[in-house]
Amino acid sequence: MGKTVFVTVGTTSFDALTEKVSSKTICEKLQKLGYTSVSLQIGRGEYEPEPVKTPDFELSFFRYKDSISKDIQSADLVISHAGAGSVLETMEANKPMIVVINELLMGNHQIELAYQLYKDGHLLYATPSTLGDLLDNLDISKLKPFPRGEPEKFATFLDETVGYR
């Protein structure tokens, strides 16, 4: 059984991420890293990737589920938009994470959130255009777990990062 990647855009539309992760180039890079299965949660995006099913690799997608907790728990790597809920749930599950910033959002606090968590060693971050380069040099062994069981610390951290305190 190979390693799995779970990709989430939350309830939003982030076609740039969905298109990039499902591209032949990124799928080949993931395969070289030992990943054999990629599941994408595409939210309300317009782009629907072409499913792939070969003996060595599978790519599938869905729009929504009541909960993505099982998807996160079973993943060996999570690639996510920078929504606070998705980031918190993945970090609480102690899963290696790459946050992909949606550069098209106006007043984007996602950049500050992802950068601070990256600086603190909890995740890696990229944009759709830099994801391939990040995968070329991927080393998740250096990521530090986020303190578990203290969501109020994350809420405080988030408030401070985006300037609410």
Side-chain angles (χ1 to χ4, degrees), residues 48-139:
E48 291 187 358
E50 190 69 37
V52 174
K53 188 164 178 108
T54 69
D56 300 325
F57 189 77
E58 183 175 351
L59 182 133
S60 60
F61 76 92
F62 63 92
R63 289 198 176 274
Y64 301 106
K65 289 182 180 177
D66 289 340
S67 172
I68 59 170
S69 293
K70 288 181 182 177
D71 300 277
I72 291 170
Q73 288 294 335
S74 65
D76 296 292
L77 173 66
V78 175
I79 300 175
S80 176
H81 73 127
S86 297
V87 171
L88 177 59
E89 188 169 358
T90 302
M91 292 177 62
E92 284 182 340
N94 197 30
K95 294 295 178 170
M97 177 179 221
I98 299 171
V99 168
V100 179
I101 304 299
N102 187 346
E103 299 168 297
L104 301 177
L105 294 178
M106 298 297 286
N108 188 357
H109 296 302
Q110 292 184 357
I111 294 169
E112 292 93 356
L113 172 64
Y115 183 70
Q116 187 61 52
L117 291 169
Y118 163 76
K119 239 173 56 175
D120 292 345
H122 300 300
L123 56 77
L124 301 170
Y125 81 100
T127 63
S129 61
T130 63
L131 182 59
D133 292 335
L134 181 100
L135 292 174
D136 285 337
N137 302 297
L138 186 65
D139 182 1

Side-chain angles (χ1 to χ4, degrees), residues 22-37:
S22 62
S23 71
K24 183 178 181 189
T25 302
I26 296 298
C27 287
E28 287 173 352
K29 289 176 188 280
L30 290 169
Q31 280 185 278
K32 285 181 185 174
L33 292 166
Y35 297 98
T36 59
S37 175

Side-chain angles (χ1 to χ4, degrees), residues 5 11 40 46 49 60 70 84 101 113 128 139 145 152 154 156 162-163:
V5 177
T11 59
L40 294 100
E46 291 183 23
S60 60
K70 288 181 182 177
I101 304 299
L113 172 64
D139 182 1
E152 61 279 352
F154 184 82
T156 300
V162 299

